[in-house]
């Protein structure tokens, strides 16, 4: 453990992150259920102290991993704020060169001279549900809104576009 370690966190819109996580698990053939089922009834498989529940958390914690406020509270109890850099995935995606420069400044290293192009995330069409339904998005927003308020306060990031 290095008490002076610097940590960099890139946060993605929590609903988008959850949906992307589900897509990844579908592509890897770990997930066979619909996204709608996975974010509702499927969450039950994560709870408990059994080996299976712990293992399931690794693969199926689509909803839980997007509770950024709760996670950030734990991080801030362990590390001083000045050793942490919080970024939004949208900013990195839109202007990677600027984000790399910000990271370099935070780390105290020279920024690469290379200019990076914005990229688009491609989601494989292997699933029969490739579009997030409005009903599922609304459900997730209802779960995340309170946590997002905490996250915005703790991180200092402008995440107003993440609220529904």
């Amino acid at each position: 453990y290095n008490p002076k370690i610097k940590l960099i966190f890139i946060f993605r819109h929590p609903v988008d992150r959850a949906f992307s996580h589900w897509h990844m698990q579908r592509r890897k053939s770990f997930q066979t259920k619909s996204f709608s089922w996975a974010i509702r009834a499927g969450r039950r498989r994560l709870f408990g102290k059994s080996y299976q529940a712990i293992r399931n958390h690794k693969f199926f914690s689509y909803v839980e991993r997007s509770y950024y406020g709760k996670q950030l509270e734990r991080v801030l109890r362990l590390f001083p704020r000045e050793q942490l850099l919080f970024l939004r995935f949208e900013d990195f995606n839109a202007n990677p060169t600027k984000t790399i420069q910000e990271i370099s400044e935070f780390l105290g290293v020279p920024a690469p001279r290379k200019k990076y192009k914005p990229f688009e995330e491609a989601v494989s069409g292997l699933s029969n549900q490739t579009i997030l339904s409005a009903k599922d998005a609304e459900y997730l927003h209802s779960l995340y809104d309170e946590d997002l308020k905490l996250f915005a306060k703790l991180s200092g990031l402008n995440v107003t576009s993440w609220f529904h």
Side-chain angles (χ1 to χ4, degrees), residues 138-152:
E138 182 65 36
Y139 173 72
L140 289 174
H141 278 287
S142 73
L143 296 178
Y144 295 138
D145 275 351
E146 280 305 309
D147 185 75
L148 276 177
K149 290 175 188 172
L150 175 62
F151 173 70

Side-chain angles (χ1 to χ4, degrees), residues 1-100:
Y1 170 70
N2 177 354
K4 295 182 181 180
I5 194 168
K6 292 187 175 188
L7 300 171
I8 301 165
F9 298 84
I10 300 181
F11 296 96
R12 186 175 185 184
H13 187 296
V15 174
D16 295 343
R17 196 221 57 78
F19 193 56
S20 178
H21 183 184
W22 173 82
H23 266 282
M24 178 181 72
Q25 298 305 65
R26 290 284 290 220
R27 284 193 308 269
K28 292 179 175 182
S29 299
F30 291 126
Q31 178 61 265
T32 59
K33 303 283 189 177
S34 72
F35 183 67
S36 188
W37 180 88
I39 63 172
R40 290 175 178 83
R43 292 175 67 199
R44 287 186 294 234
R45 61 188 162 174
L46 304 178
F47 302 107
K49 298 194 185 284
S50 70
Y51 168 78
Q52 191 62 41
I54 293 167
R55 184 180 177 281
N56 284 346
H57 201 276
K58 177 181 178 181
F59 296 103
F60 307 122
S61 55
Y62 313 120
V63 173
E64 283 65 28
R65 289 186 189 197
S66 288
Y67 284 113
Y68 300 149
K70 291 176 186 176
Q71 294 177 58
L72 209 46
E73 274 186 322
R74 289 191 296 271
V75 168
L76 289 167
R77 282 195 299 264
L78 299 171
F79 298 97
R81 178 66 176 88
E82 61 272 5
Q83 290 176 215
L84 308 173
L85 177 62
F86 305 129
L87 303 166
R88 293 179 339 140
F89 176 77
E90 298 92 323
D91 298 331
F92 175 69
N93 191 32
N95 192 340
T97 301
K98 181 180 176 190
T99 304
I100 297 288

Side-chain angles (χ1 to χ4, degrees), residues 107-122:
L107 295 174
V109 298
R113 292 186 177 160
K114 179 179 177 179
K115 299 294 181 202
Y116 298 90
K117 294 179 183 178
F119 62 94
E120 293 181 11
E121 182 176 6

